[in-house]
Amino acid sequence: MAEVPTTALPTTGHEAETDALASDELLVEEVSIDGMCGVY
Amino acid sequence: MALTFDLDRAWRVDPRVSLRPEPFGALLYHFGTRRLSFLKNQTVLAVVRSLDGHPSARAACLACGVTEAELPVYARALAALASSNMISERTPHDTRA
């Protein structure tokens, strides 16, 4: 089986981050873990 | 729901928050509220980490390379963090934890 070549992750530069921003982009995502099983 | 945030006030990461940098940005965990927040890029992480070193959130954003055009996006992010108590306004009496 041929190996799938892995590629290095591109460096996250500010320009790349700028390009990805949209006017409704949310840079923060929130999660509540109350009630999650296995969380202490 | 519109979140408002005063960029011209001084802010800081709440002392009850643990911040863990990740390749995607960062995880924030508030030990009081048990809430998790994910920061989605390195720039917003840099802004959050530098908040207590600047006289205002606007100054922190600009120092981290955020442009004027991008400020509304970062203000929304900071507003979300403020609404979940991950960051709080800094007073002259606050000392860094």
Side-chain angles (χ1 to χ4, degrees), chain A residues 3-4 6-7 10 12 15-17 19 24-25 29 31 39:
Chain A
E3 285 188 16
V4 176
T6 57
T7 55
T12 304
E15 286 185 1
E17 290 179 355
D19 290 342
D24 57 350
E25 174 80 15
E29 187 169 342
V31 177
V39 177

Side-chain angles (χ1 to χ4, degrees), chain A residues 28-32, chain B residues 35-38 77 79-86:
Chain A
V28 172
E29 187 169 342
E30 297 180 335
V31 177
S32 177
Chain B
R35 293 185 70 88
L36 273 173
S37 291
F38 294 84
L81 293 173
S83 71
S84 60
N85 302 117
M86 293 292 183

Side-chain angles (χ1 to χ4, degrees), chain B residues 22-69:
Chain B
E22 294 288 344
F24 57 79
L27 274 169
L28 276 70
Y29 179 73
H30 194 298
F31 284 91
T33 63
R34 295 167 48 82
R35 293 185 70 88
L36 273 173
S37 291
F38 294 84
L39 304 185
K40 293 187 177 179
N41 69 25
Q42 296 294 325
T43 303
V44 69
L45 167 61
V47 169
V48 169
R49 290 175 107 175
S50 68
L51 281 174
D52 65 353
H54 290 87
S56 69
R58 183 186 304 275
C61 287
L62 297 176
C64 292
V66 176
T67 66
E68 291 284 348

